[in-house]
Structure formats: structure tokens, C-alpha cells
Amino acid sequence: MYSYADRLRAVRLYIKLGKRVGLTIRQLGYPTKNALKHWHREYEQRLDLSAGYVRRPKYSLAQKESAVKHYRSTAAALRRRSRRWAIRRGHCFLRGSKNCIRRLAPALLADPGS
């Protein structure tokens, strides 16, 4: 992530050098070709660069809540299956994995009565 001043310096040099990407990158040692072009496009449109960058969330709040609800509803089924597959004794035969679910998610395998 480059600071506002670094990005502005790169764009101004890019314009000064006649929009020559390679020469600009060689002189500064940064950024990539695509980043420089993106910064220049933003600079032309807004006559300035944004002060920072805020990433759009990958998943919405509804998707996250749905995933948690699904996880909680399937945890009991996993506990039941683990008893049948002898995972509780430290053996794990799920897809040939050597790591036991006990080590990966011990809370899922805990007995509700204990």
C-alpha cells in the first residue's frame, strides 16, 4: 500500500515524462504498470487522488449470519458422525486426512454432558 504522497508523486512524474510507464517505474522503483495507470485515470477524473482505500466487504452481513447458522445446525450432526467413525479415539479417516478433527475443532466433538 502506497501513501497518498507516493501515489501523487508517481502520477505527477508520469505526466511530466509524457505518460511513459516504463521510464516512470524505473525512476521511482514503484508501482506496477497497472497501478500507475489506475492512479492516473483516477487523477484525471477527480483532479486528485483518494486519501485512502476502503475495501468492500467480501461477504454481506446476511451471508455471514447464514454461514454461522448453518455451522451451528451441522455441529450436532458432526458429533454424532464422529462417534461412529471412531474420531473420538484419535483416528481420523475423513478423506485420508492425518489430522484428526479432535485437534482441528475440539469444541465440536465435546460431549454435551461433560
Side-chain angles (χ1 to χ4, degrees):
M1 196 75 171
Y2 296 100
S3 70
Y4 172 80
D6 290 339
R7 291 182 290 133
L8 193 58
R9 184 178 326 127
V11 170
R12 287 183 176 160
L13 183 62
Y14 176 67
I15 293 169
K16 181 181 174 184
L17 295 176
K19 298 182 182 177
R20 296 171 64 192
V21 176
L23 188 57
T24 305
I25 293 172
R26 248 189 320 276
Q27 277 196 4
L28 293 174
Y30 71 94
T32 62
K33 174 183 72 167
N34 290 336
L36 182 58
K37 288 181 177 183
H38 174 76
W39 296 344
H40 178 256
R41 191 176 321 114
E42 180 184 355
Y43 185 79
E44 281 184 331
Q45 289 173 354
R46 299 177 55 207
L47 300 176
D48 197 14
L49 295 172
S50 58
Y53 177 75
V54 178
R55 182 174 290 207
R56 189 178 71 206
K58 191 170 186 176
Y59 301 104
S60 69
L61 184 59
Q63 289 173 314
K64 290 177 186 178
E65 288 172 350
S66 174
V68 169
K69 183 178 176 184
H70 173 73
Y71 170 78
R72 287 183 175 159
S73 69
T74 58
L78 179 60
R79 277 195 294 273
R80 285 192 302 274
R81 275 185 248 134
S82 71
R83 290 185 186 102
R84 282 185 287 175
W85 294 341
I87 293 173
R88 295 182 60 75
R89 291 191 300 265
H91 304 289
C92 189
F93 301 105
L94 290 174
R95 298 182 184 166
S97 173
K98 292 181 183 175
N99 292 327
C100 182
I101 291 179
R102 176 185 286 283
R103 284 173 272 168
L104 297 176
L108 294 179
L109 300 176
D111 284 327
S114 57

